[in-house]
Amino acid sequence: MVELSKLRTVVSESHRKLQPYRKNTYEAVRQYVGRHYSEDGTSDRVPMNYLKLAVGIYARILSARMPAVTVTTRDPNLKVTAKRAEILANAMLKEMDFGSRVREWVEAALFGLGVLKIGWSESSIVQWEDEQGPFEMPMGQVYAETILLEDWVQDLQARGRPWEMCSFMGHKYRMPLEEAIENKAWDKGARKALSELIQTRSTGSGDPKIGNISGGEAPNSEPLFKEVELWEIYLPSTREIVTFAADNDSNDPSAHADKPLSVEEWIGPREGACYCGPYHFLGFDWPIGQSMPVPPVAHWRDMHELANQLINKNARKAIRQKTIFGYQSGHDEDARRQREAADGEMVQMNDPNSVKIFENPGVDQQLLGYTMSLDQMMDKIGGNLTALGGLGPQSETIGQDQMALGQASSQIDDMKNEVLMSVGSSVKSMLYYWWNDPVQDFSDVIKVTDTIEVPFTIPADSRGEIWHSLNFDIQPYSMKYTSPEQRAGFVMELLNNQNFVQILMMNGKLINADELIGLLSNYYNIPELGDIIMSQVGMPMAGQEAVGIKPGMPAQTKRTYEKVSKSGGQPEGIEDIMQ
């Protein structure tokens, strides 16, 4: 077992070395929330929030929907089990709202390093009995939580990605002090040495906490319950999890116990791509030989801050802009006459040069032009944000816009692959705990037809080693964003396909008009659609056409496409307007 004092020293040292990463993430999040979020937001205005724009677009593309799982096997005897495991897996992911965890994970990776912890937590103890007699069996549930960078630590001396080379990694967390002291599963001496957490607005290394941006912590605030902060460190070489008190990262050996609170064997799937022990990693740009990724926000932040500084500078110029009238001493009457004269009125003046107009300069046109050029540069650095976010036309025709969108999408394919790989490893870890639950039986139904459903159960004692014969994959299309209007358009396009309608009729299938109307009313958010359509009493009228085929539509149609040039919505057109 590793020596606690040595482990504590390397953990504290590595946590301090992570300070630049935490500081950069903290400042980026402040820029993201802007000035009007909380007292810990930015001090200056952020009128052109490129970080919010880019993060929103990429997060929507990379994690728009709940991941879906496919389960396959090469063993013909396990085909049915694989199909049932697939149904259960997708139901469990939906039940725990795993899609929300993935969204948080992706956003964390856009700002820094995304760390997701997968584990099993005990919730109760049940009495069990077998041939050898009664015994206690722990019951629990699988969880997935995102670890903030301010609570994270890893071996920064490693040369490679965290799951490949790090000798230790872990995070710190808080829990009620009384609960920690009364935990009999932990070392008694170490429990006695626990002390109450001192609330501060910064970490032990002195950098501000990301979690304080939303509400902050008053210097002398007291929590509702006394808390203690603990480190939970995973050692890949021994597959052990060591838990000990953080004590605000004090370097005083007398402030800590000689023994850790606990040293437990970690039980879970073996290390693989993108994960190590309970921790799953997500990063989008890994420099060679480095254990920390370069987040996309780091590339966007310079352009974001420069553009907002220039916009604010020009805004201050605009606010200072004014027109004043000055007159020479002794010419008060001339000044009065000019002030009281109506528009177009002629007035007599003793000295026309005694009253002059003075203009304070306003918006700097050169500065404005340079700022607008930064907008195009940010669009390019962000991978064509205008096309990815659907913010406006990129060219004069739809075809050229689609080509531009395809080229822009190809730039984020690598990011999509990183997300799919990381999500796949995390889902497989969760399914590992579900599958190897020694108590819980899994039940669901298989829908055979519209009216027939077959229930099934996978007992706990029948799963066992079958796990190793099953392959779990993430469906790439399951996480793609599709708007309700796009879904409705696909449904109508399918129903207007005569070949599809004929296939339905040949197989004895009919289209449920009520379900179709309800589907369209939901997708288009028009609930009144169901009120204006009534069912016909009696037999269908003779010669009535099939649902989905446009009445009277000829087999061949003639269409005329007109090319319209609209320069105002394109970057070049905007430049022309501003000149």
Side-chain angles (χ1 to χ4, degrees):
M1 184 180 71
V2 65
E3 184 179 350
L4 179 60
S5 60
K6 185 176 182 179
L7 177 61
R8 188 187 299 278
T9 299
V10 296
V11 166
S12 297
E13 181 180 357
S14 293
H15 190 257
R16 279 189 289 272
K17 288 182 178 180
L18 283 168
Q19 181 179 10
Y21 301 96
R22 293 192 298 269
K23 183 179 179 181
N24 288 332
T25 302
Y26 175 83
E27 293 297 334
V29 173
R30 290 182 68 233
Q31 290 290 328
Y32 177 87
V33 301
R35 183 185 184 184
H36 305 288
Y37 178 69
S38 69
E39 62 181 11
D40 287 332
T42 57
S43 58
D44 206 352
R45 293 180 175 85
V46 187
M48 187 62 74
N49 200 325
Y50 288 121
L51 295 188
K52 172 64 176 67
L53 176 67
V55 170
I57 291 175
Y58 275 82
R60 184 170 66 251
I61 293 175
L62 298 174
S63 59
R65 299 176 59 191
M66 176 77 68
V69 179
T70 58
V71 182
T72 60
T73 180
R74 294 184 178 180
D75 190 342
N77 298 323
L78 297 178
K79 294 290 186 181
V80 176
T81 301
K83 183 61 179 178
R84 294 176 177 179
E86 178 179 314
I87 296 174
L88 290 172
N90 289 309
M92 291 174 180
L93 292 176
K94 185 176 181 180
E95 181 180 355
M96 69 179 300
D97 192 21
F98 185 62
S100 298
R101 303 285 81 77
V102 173
R103 182 63 177 257
E104 295 175 0
W105 192 17
V106 169
E107 290 183 353
L110 291 173
F111 281 96
L113 172 65
V115 181
L116 187 71
K117 183 183 179 183
I118 304 294
W120 183 87
S121 61
E122 180 181 315
S123 58
S124 61
I125 300 293
V126 296
Q127 300 295 326
W128 206 259
E129 186 173 354
D130 59 8
E131 297 81 1
Q132 300 180 358
F135 62 95
E136 293 183 344
M137 179 70 70
M139 294 285 290
Q141 59 184 1
V142 179
Y143 66 87
E145 62 175 341
T146 305
I147 306 298
L148 291 177
L149 191 58
E150 66 187 35
D151 297 325
W152 176 252
V153 69
Q154 68 182 52
D155 182 11
L156 288 181
Q157 301 298 324
R159 294 294 180 265
R161 303 186 182 188
W163 62 88
E164 298 173 341
M165 305 297 294
C166 283
S167 60
F168 68 89
M169 63 191 67
H171 73 290
K172 54 184 175 182
Y173 64 96
R174 298 179 182 181
M175 68 179 301
L177 177 61
E178 182 178 357
E179 181 180 338
I181 294 177
E182 295 178 356
N183 190 342
K184 297 182 179 180
W186 288 351
D187 182 81
K188 184 177 181 180
R191 282 186 286 142
K192 289 183 178 181
L194 293 177
S195 59
E196 181 183 357
L197 172 66
I198 301 175
Q199 303 289 344
T200 62
R201 291 182 58 85
S202 59
T203 65
S205 302
D207 48 305
K209 299 179 180 179
I210 301 173
N212 289 343
I213 294 178
S214 58
E217 292 181 359
N220 299 322
S221 63
E222 294 185 4
L224 185 60
F225 302 102
K226 293 183 178 180
E227 294 180 319
V228 64
E229 196 167 48
L230 308 176
W231 276 115
E232 185 174 287
I233 304 299
Y234 175 67
L235 306 176
S237 59
T238 59
R239 292 174 63 85
E240 293 177 328
I241 293 181
V242 183
T243 305
F244 57 90
D247 289 339
N248 296 322
D249 294 336
S250 173
N251 288 323
D252 183 7
S254 62
H256 312 292
D258 296 332
K259 295 183 179 180
L261 288 167
S262 69
V263 179
E264 299 178 353
E265 179 187 2
W266 181 76
I267 300 176
R270 302 293 299 183
E271 284 74 11
C274 303
Y275 71 97
C276 184
Y279 302 109
H280 295 252
F281 301 92
L282 178 59
F284 296 115
D285 186 4
W286 296 90
I288 184 171
Q290 306 303 313
S291 60
M292 289 291 289
V294 180
V297 168
H299 297 296
W300 304 332
R301 186 177 159 190
D302 287 339
M303 195 64 63
H304 163 90
E305 293 182 355
L306 177 59
N308 282 280
Q309 288 171 2
L310 296 180
I311 292 175
N312 287 327
K313 182 177 181 178
N314 232 355
R316 289 189 290 268
K317 286 178 174 289
I319 294 174
R320 290 195 303 266
Q321 182 182 13
K322 58 184 177 181
T323 302
I324 60 176
F325 295 84
Y327 62 93
Q328 296 178 1
S329 176
H331 292 77
D332 301 31
E333 187 64 23
D334 287 350
R336 184 189 63 80
R337 290 173 183 173
Q338 183 169 353
R339 182 187 62 187
E340 296 178 355
D343 183 34
E345 183 180 355
M346 298 181 64
V347 295
Q348 180 181 3
M349 301 182 65
N350 296 324
D351 184 3
N353 295 324
S354 63
V355 181
K356 292 186 177 181
I357 299 176
F358 295 91
E359 296 278 355
N360 280 5
V363 174
D364 189 325
Q365 293 299 325
Q366 289 185 342
L367 191 61
L368 178 60
Y370 178 62
T371 304
M372 297 196 66
S373 69
L374 294 181
D375 184 82
Q376 297 185 31
M377 293 172 62
M378 178 63 199
D379 187 78
K380 182 177 295 185
I381 293 174
N384 202 343
L385 293 176
T386 304
L388 293 176
L391 305 179
Q394 294 293 290
S395 59
E396 298 178 353
T397 63
I398 296 178
Q400 291 176 345
D401 273 355
Q402 292 177 345
M403 291 177 60
L405 179 59
Q407 293 173 358
S409 300
S410 65
Q411 296 185 30
I412 63 172
D413 284 344
D414 289 342
M415 300 176 69
K416 289 181 179 180
N417 292 334
E418 291 284 351
V419 172
L420 291 175
M421 186 179 299
S422 297
V423 171
S425 68
S426 61
V427 169
K428 190 168 185 179
S429 294
M430 288 189 292
L431 295 178
Y432 173 89
Y433 292 109
W434 281 323
W435 191 266
N436 291 281
D437 192 312
V439 177
Q440 186 176 3
D441 295 336
F442 298 141
S443 301
D444 209 323
V445 296
I446 297 178
K447 189 174 182 180
V448 180
T449 65
D450 296 338
T451 58
I452 301 178
E453 293 182 347
V454 179
F456 69 90
T457 301
I458 304 181
D461 55 2
S462 68
R463 295 191 290 264
E465 294 299 321
I466 296 178
W467 167 266
H468 302 289
S469 300
L470 301 177
N471 299 315
F472 295 86
D473 295 315
I474 301 297
Q475 302 174 6
Y477 62 84
S478 65
M479 299 179 66
K480 180 181 179 181
Y481 173 76
T482 306
S483 68
E485 291 79 7
Q486 290 175 324
R487 298 184 185 186
F490 173 77
V491 172
M492 294 308 301
E493 182 180 354
L494 193 63
L495 294 181
N496 286 328
N497 188 316
Q498 297 185 18
N499 294 331
F500 176 74
V501 175
Q502 291 178 0
I503 293 175
L504 292 181
M505 297 176 63
M506 291 174 59
N507 289 272
K509 299 290 184 179
L510 297 175
I511 297 175
N512 191 325
D514 292 335
E515 290 292 334
L516 177 61
I517 295 171
L519 189 70
L520 295 178
S521 65
N522 290 333
Y523 282 158
Y524 286 115
N525 194 23
I526 307 177
E528 298 83 3
L529 185 62
D531 299 333
I532 63 176
I533 300 178
M534 299 179 60
S535 300
Q536 177 178 319
V537 180
M539 298 297 294
M541 293 184 298
Q544 185 174 8
E545 299 186 46
V547 176
I549 301 178
K550 293 183 179 180
M553 182 176 179
Q556 295 183 354
T557 60
K558 181 179 180 181
R559 298 176 175 86
T560 301
Y561 295 93
E562 182 179 358
K563 178 179 177 181
V564 180
S565 176
K566 298 181 179 180
S567 61
Q570 303 165 29
E572 296 80 0
I574 296 176
E575 286 184 350
D576 295 340
I577 293 174
M578 295 304 301
Q579 289 179 354

